[in-house]
Amino acid sequence: ISEWGHDFRPEYRRIREMIDALGHSVPVMALTATATPKVQSDIVKTLDMHAPGIFKESFNRTNLFYEIRPKVNKAQTIKEIVQICRTKPGSSGIVYVQSRKSTEELAQTLEVNGIKAAPYHAGLDTKLRAKIQDEFLMQDIDVICATIAFGMGIDKPDVRFVFHADLPSSLDAYYQEIGRAGRDGNPAEAQMVFGLADIQMRRRFIDQEAGGEERRRREHRRLDTLVAYCEAPECRLQNLLLYFGEESEPCGNCDVCLDPAETVDGSE
C-alpha cells in the first residue's frame, strides 16, 4: 500500500473504496513484516482507519551479529563467502546477489570448493525452484545463492548466516532479508560487503524504473539512508532500530561495537 501504492501500483491506494463498496462495517487488519513509523501512518491514512489498535513486536534481534565491510573485488568477496562456509561446516546459509547469472556462477564456485550450494532465482523452472527449496529445508543443500526472489514463505529456523554480496535495495529490504537468519534464537550472522560500484548500480536501477519521478525521488532517499547506515561509525543495531522508530543502547555485538572505527576531528 505504501511502498508500491503511490504511483507504481496506484490500485493499492483504492483498497478503501473496495471496503466501503461492501456497504457495511467491515473489520480491517493491515499486516506487514517491517514498517517505519512513516509507513505505518501512511497505511492507516490510506485505509482510513480511525484510532486503530497497533500491535508490534520489537525489531531487536539480539542473537544476530552484524558486520559490514568495504567490497574489494569480486574474487575477494567469493573468498570471504567460501571462508564463512568452511568455518561453519554443514551450517545453512543464504548469499544474496543482484543478478541471476551471479547466483549460478557463485553456486558453481562454492560447489568446486566442496560446499553444497545451489542457485535460486525467478528464471528457474517452478519445479526446480521447489526442489531446491525442499533440499535446503532438508539440509541436502547448505548454501542458497539467491536473488531477492528467494525468501518469501521460507521459514527455516537454523539459517546460521545471511551474506549480502551486493547492496540490497533499502534498509527495509536488508532487515527483511537478514531476518531469515537465526530464527531459532541461536547465534547467527548478518554480513554484507559494499562498494561505490554497488551504489552506482542501484542508482541506475532506480533511474530506469517505471513509476514516475516521485517514486524515483523516494527510492533515492531510501538508498541514501541505506548507505548512511553502512557508513555509520556507531552501533549497527542501534542505527537499524532507530530507523524503525525504536531506541536502544549499543548492542556490544556488531563489528562497530567490537572494533570501533577510528574517527578524527574534521574541523581541524
Side-chain angles (χ1 to χ4, degrees):
I1 291 169
S2 182
E3 183 175 345
W4 299 104
H6 285 282
D7 33 33
F8 196 62
R9 289 282 184 272
E11 295 84 356
Y12 291 2
R13 309 291 288 186
R14 299 180 61 193
I15 292 174
R16 184 71 229 182
E17 293 176 34
M18 294 162 56
I19 295 166
D20 291 339
L22 294 174
H24 53 87
S25 182
V26 179
V28 177
M29 180 185 287
L31 303 167
T32 179
T34 52
T36 62
K38 186 175 183 298
V39 169
Q40 289 172 39
S41 65
D42 190 29
I43 291 169
V44 168
K45 182 181 174 185
T46 302
L47 293 179
D48 194 25
M49 301 168 95
H50 300 286
I54 295 178
F55 305 89
K56 58 181 180 178
E57 282 287 320
S58 169
F59 286 88
N60 192 351
R61 301 283 309 284
T62 55
N63 62 318
L64 290 191
F65 171 76
Y66 301 82
E67 183 173 16
I68 299 174
R69 300 183 301 284
K71 183 187 285 188
V72 180
N73 54 46
K74 191 174 179 180
Q76 179 63 27
T77 300
I78 292 171
K79 188 177 175 183
E80 289 183 27
I81 294 167
V82 170
Q83 183 62 28
I84 289 171
C85 296
R86 284 184 175 158
T87 56
K88 301 175 184 296
S91 294
S92 298
I94 304 169
V95 181
Y96 281 108
V97 293
Q98 186 60 49
S99 71
R100 297 176 180 185
K101 184 182 177 186
S102 295
T103 66
E104 294 174 3
E105 289 175 348
L106 180 56
Q108 193 173 26
T109 303
L110 294 181
E111 284 279 345
V112 167
N113 281 274
I115 296 153
K116 293 186 289 183
Y120 189 102
H121 57 75
L124 296 176
D125 176 75
T126 307
K127 287 183 180 176
L128 179 56
R129 287 209 308 272
K131 179 176 178 288
I132 291 168
Q133 279 189 26
D134 288 343
E135 288 178 349
F136 184 58
L137 292 170
M138 298 302 292
Q139 294 188 304
D140 295 323
I141 292 171
D142 291 330
V143 179
I144 292 284
C145 305
T147 61
I148 56 168
F150 182 79
M152 298 301 284
I154 300 297
D155 190 14
K156 183 172 167 60
D158 59 346
V159 173
R160 297 273 67 88
F161 70 90
V162 170
F163 191 108
H164 280 89
D166 293 317
L167 199 65
S169 60
S170 65
L171 214 43
D172 309 67
Y174 169 73
Y175 184 84
Q176 285 193 24
E177 287 155 18
I178 63 172
R180 279 141 205 164
R183 289 186 176 181
D184 56 5
N186 293 324
E189 295 180 15
Q191 304 220 13
M192 177 162 66
V193 291
F194 86 108
L196 182 60
D198 288 311
I199 301 167
Q200 291 170 334
M201 180 177 64
R202 278 285 169 202
R203 294 224 182 276
R204 275 201 305 275
F205 284 162
I206 293 168
D207 290 335
Q208 291 164 5
E209 264 186 8
E213 191 57 39
E214 179 54 35
R215 175 174 170 77
R216 281 191 282 274
R217 271 198 298 272
R218 206 161 46 246
E219 291 305 307
H220 277 299
R221 281 198 300 271
R222 278 154 53 97
L223 178 59
D224 290 341
T225 304
L226 174 65
V227 173
Y229 167 76
C230 293
E231 295 179 340
E234 305 92 14
C235 171
R236 302 279 183 209
L237 182 60
Q238 197 175 31
N239 273 287
L240 192 58
L241 293 179
L242 197 60
Y243 175 72
F244 289 108
E246 192 175 329
E247 293 187 6
S248 75
E249 295 297 314
C251 70
N253 188 39
C254 68
D255 58 342
V256 178
C257 283
L258 296 176
D259 185 19
E262 199 172 303
T263 56
V264 295
D265 184 353
S267 63
E268 290 295 327

